[in-house]
Amino acid sequence: PKGKMPSDIIHVSTKDGEWFPVRRMLLAPCLKLTRYVQAGRGKYKHRPTPTLSDEMRSPDAPVEDDGCPHCYVNIDCNTFDRVLI
C-alpha cells in the first residue's frame, strides 16, 4: 500500500535494477555507506541528502523527494539480500 516510509530508511539500488528500502541500523556496520547512514546527523547534518541520478536509480524506486537517502551498491540483489540476512 502507498504510504510514507519511516524516516530511518535508505533506498538502496543494486546493479541488476532492483531496490530495497533498508533501515539505517542494518547498514551502519558498512563503512562505504556511512555517508548515507549518517545523512542529516552529526558532521553530515548540513550536507544535502544524498540521491542518485535517474540512470543509477532502479526504475521502480521512489523518485519523489521523500527525504530518504538513495544509494547504489555494485552487487546483485540476491547477494545484497543475503548480506542483510
Side-chain angles (χ1 to χ4, degrees), residues 26-67:
L26 293 174
L27 297 177
C30 182
L31 294 177
K32 184 75 172 172
L33 299 177
T34 298
R35 180 177 122 186
Y36 304 98
V37 172
Q38 295 299 326
R41 301 173 179 167
K43 71 178 187 178
Y44 299 93
K45 188 173 190 168
H46 300 293
R47 295 184 186 176
T49 302
T51 60
L52 293 175
S53 64
D54 291 339
E55 297 84 34
M56 291 187 77
R57 187 179 297 186
S58 298
D60 60 342
V63 292
E64 67 276 352
D65 184 19
D66 54 6

Side-chain angles (χ1 to χ4, degrees), residues 11 13 15 19 21 33 36 41 43 45 48 52-53 59-60 63 67-68 75 78 80-82 84:
H11 300 296
S13 293
K15 75 176 184 180
W19 76 278
L33 299 177
Y36 304 98
R41 301 173 179 167
K43 71 178 187 178
K45 188 173 190 168
L52 293 175
S53 64
D60 60 342
V63 292
C68 295
I75 56 175
N78 289 332
F80 187 71
D81 192 39
R82 283 184 297 214
L84 290 178

